[in-house]
Amino acid sequence: MQGSTSPIVQSPAGARLWRPAGQRNLRNSWSKILGQRAAWISASSKAFTIASSLINAHLNLRYMSTINLGVLKEMDGICDKSHAKLFRQQEEYLCKLRSCYRDLVNAVVHMSNASMSMRTYMKRSAGSPLMEFSNDSGLDGDTGDGGGIAIFSSLPLQYFENLGVELVEMFVSELKVKRLLVVEFHSIAYNEAKEAIPCTRTSWNEEIYPGEFDSVKNLNNFFALDSSALHPGLNVLEVGENVLGLSKGQPRREVLQVYLTTWLVEVNINNFRIEEVIAMVGEEMQITLV
């Protein structure tokens, strides 16, 4: 590929012009990736708290008929009122969970966009001898990587791109798991609610929120529901009894705990590797990335 690079980019003068702009763009791209990682952590933590409250409300609703209300049972309509309140709580928690899931999607989409915007292209301004730089290709043969030269001290731009893709793939895989769980949480709550709350059950092939499909359309194979793609060695069909409607009954309390634990541990995200990548990139750029 280097042989087809535009002569002006390939020349020493072109490299000197390109490198500062390329460095600036690369720093910005990695800052965006890490910023979206922080946004993911915040949204995921918030969603876990909401999911826990949803499960608690669901279990209270499920086992209310077995609870000894004591003197409260003499109150007119106490059970019906309690059921209605718990139904409303479930709906509120589901709405909040959908909002958090949308935040997770946005974080991954922005992270993916940043990982694909690390290249810097040279272009001439009309009527000006000055060279400008852009994220879009302007000169024939310009690959946006400075012809493969080291962008900082020793590593070419493509190396940083590959690291960015590695991180994004972790979060895309984890987003699949979280989407699966959100779908399942809807199924659990709406199975219990029956006709008490007007709602539509959510399936894997339906949008969790309006515009979701448009948001994730550029994430590779996002809707390919394959257990090995979700996590090597993790068979999502064994995560619980009711995943994707495999069981018509309600999952046991222990299975619900598995769902919450699965959300919390984020098996697809290797934080040790992420910190290693951040340190490596920061060392090459001679800055501290946070």
Side-chain angles (χ1 to χ4, degrees), residues 5 14 67 73 84 96 104 110 201 233 267:
T5 304
I67 297 176
K73 67 182 179 181
K96 292 178 180 178
L104 291 172
H110 291 320
R201 286 190 60 181
V267 292

Side-chain angles (χ1 to χ4, degrees), residues 147-163:
I149 64 172
I151 188 168
F152 285 99
S153 58
S154 60
L155 300 175
L157 185 140
Q158 187 174 5
Y159 186 85
F160 294 94
E161 283 184 315
N162 292 340
L163 292 176

Side-chain angles (χ1 to χ4, degrees), residues 10 88 116 192:
Q10 199 175 32
R88 288 194 297 272
M116 295 186 293
E192 193 71 33

Side-chain angles (χ1 to χ4, degrees), residues 258-277:
V258 170
Y259 292 164
L260 293 176
T261 301
T262 300
W263 187 288
L264 182 63
V265 298
E266 298 190 331
V267 292
N268 291 289
I269 298 177
N270 185 341
N271 286 304
F272 176 82
R273 174 58 180 164
I274 291 176
E275 294 301 327
E276 185 179 52
V277 167

